[in-house]
Amino acid sequence: MSFADDVRAELCAIPIKKPCCRRALTAGLLSCVRTCEGKQMTVRYKHEAVASLAMDLLARQYGKQPALAISGASGHRYYDLTFSSPACYKQYLRMREAGADVEEIVGFSCDACRGAFLRGAFLAAGTVNDPHKAFHLELLLPDGVDTAALIGFLSASGYPPRSVKRAGGVGLYYKDGGSVEDLIGMAGAQHTVFEIINSRIERDIRNNENRATNCVAKNIEKTISAATRQMEAINALMEAGKLDALPEALRVTALVRYRNPDATLDELVRLHEPPISKSGLNHRLKKLLEEAEEL
Ligand SMILES: [Zn+2]
């Protein structure tokens, strides 16, 4: 089972407590009615569990058992439900009107209705990636399905989707962990929400670790390149026979650095006898670079 299958199974198993939420869930499941000839509607599902939930809900909501036709090969089966109901047809037409307001058309009447509608729409057309791989939630609506009402619903819920043309339809999608987490939570898949939260935390930790490692690497690089320049300067001074002519303090520092090419500044400070401050050391190293430049 894919990750999205697990999410679908979780969503299908959520009990529906109120008639208003059942109405909203049913309307969501009808988000991708493919054809409507006369007053006969056909809606296609790709998953048996979803088709069976829709059959049950449509029968309860509109008092008629839809006809089921199964096509396709195993692994890519299609479950087409065909039914006719004047009330359902009326709702279908209103959903396609410009500026259709899902909340008003379906008649949301409790706090859970919005989530129930989203759950239906996700079951009908949605997919979600394993959050450990990538954050991606998408509703894929086949050609011929009016997307405006669904886009309006998602935007009014605070999550305007991005849309993309796909083979055979339009995808409404989200790629940020926050939206994916919120929408899955709103649809009611709490178990999946925990998985998304966990993977977001893991990602944050990994990013911070990478940042820290990069920072350490950069510091090491800086130290090495400074030490290399100092070693080159000291070598040049030695080869030119200028080292002995330098003041005692500079000569001591040059020799300490020469004998400890890998030492950090703090280590060089501790290697000086008599003791020296870090700024004093910096000053001397800078002076050595200048002396070498004059050669
Ligand atoms: Zn409700």
Side-chain angles (χ1 to χ4, degrees):
M1 285 234 297
S2 73
F3 183 81
D5 286 334
D6 290 341
V7 178
R8 263 180 230 112
E10 187 184 355
L11 291 176
C12 278
I14 296 172
I16 303 137
K17 294 183 185 124
K18 298 184 196 166
C20 59
C21 296
R22 187 180 311 124
R23 190 169 64 225
L25 177 61
T26 311
L29 280 162
L30 292 175
S31 298
C32 52
V33 168
R34 292 180 78 226
T35 56
C36 192
E37 283 165 17
K39 288 181 180 176
Q40 185 158 287
M41 282 174 269
T42 301
V43 55
R44 169 168 283 187
Y45 299 106
K46 291 179 187 157
H47 307 278
E48 192 178 1
V50 177
S52 128
L53 177 70
M55 290 251 304
D56 182 39
L57 286 168
L58 285 168
R60 290 181 81 167
Q61 192 67 35
Y62 297 110
K64 272 184 212 160
Q65 190 68 32
L68 169 67
I70 303 173
S71 58
S74 88
H76 294 281
R77 288 221 192 284
Y78 298 113
Y79 302 85
D80 291 336
L81 305 192
T82 301
F83 60 101
S84 62
S85 145
C88 188
Y89 182 64
K90 202 171 136 203
Q91 179 176 288
Y92 168 80
L93 291 182
R94 286 189 68 197
M95 287 282 203
R96 293 174 78 97
E97 283 167 10
D101 178 356
V102 171
E103 181 167 352
E104 193 234 312
I105 295 168
V106 178
F108 291 177
S109 54
C110 82
D111 288 345
C113 280
R114 184 170 290 278
F117 179 84
L118 177 65
R119 192 186 318 145
F122 181 85
L123 285 172
T127 187
V128 62
N129 283 28
D130 182 344
H132 297 280
K133 291 174 188 152
F135 295 122
H136 188 137
L137 183 148
E138 180 161 333
L139 299 172
L140 180 61
L141 302 158
D143 283 328
V145 170
D146 190 58
T147 56
L150 195 53
I151 292 174
F153 164 80
L154 292 166
S155 303
S157 303
Y159 302 92
R162 289 209 258 172
S163 74
V164 62
K165 183 86 195 76
R166 299 269 187 226
V170 173
L172 306 179
Y173 71 93
Y174 303 87
K175 277 180 180 284
D176 64 294
S179 297
V180 175
E181 178 188 323
D182 291 352
L183 289 166
I184 285 290
M186 193 170 131
Q190 288 312 319
H191 176 78
T192 309
V193 168
F194 287 129
E195 271 196 53
I196 295 172
I197 292 173
N198 278 342
S199 76
R200 288 181 74 190
I201 292 170
E202 276 166 26
R203 246 176 236 212
D204 277 354
I205 292 172
R206 225 171 22 235
N207 285 344
N208 285 340
E209 272 171 4
N210 284 345
R211 221 170 287 139
T213 312
N214 287 344
C215 189
V216 169
K218 237 177 229 153
N219 280 339
I220 291 173
E221 221 170 84
K222 242 161 81 188
T223 309
I224 291 174
S225 79
T228 308
R229 271 185 291 122
Q230 291 154 9
M231 290 299 287
E232 281 167 1
I234 294 163
N235 272 325
L237 289 166
M238 280 177 163
E239 276 166 22
K242 294 279 167 131
L243 199 63
D244 289 337
L246 293 177
E248 170 75 8
L250 283 187
R251 215 168 59 237
V252 167
T253 295
L255 289 174
V256 170
R257 167 47 95 199
Y258 186 73
R259 287 179 198 134
N260 304 281
D262 299 328
T264 64
L265 280 187
D266 288 321
E267 286 163 345
L268 286 182
V269 164
R270 285 194 292 275
L271 287 165
H272 274 75
E273 188 56 53
I276 184 175
S277 69
K278 198 165 172 177
S279 70
L281 174 67
N282 261 328
H283 178 75
R284 288 189 196 176
L285 289 169
K286 207 170 138 207
K287 198 91 183 98
L288 283 170
L289 290 178
E290 283 167 14
E291 291 285 344
E293 251 168 52
E294 276 173 25
L295 291 175

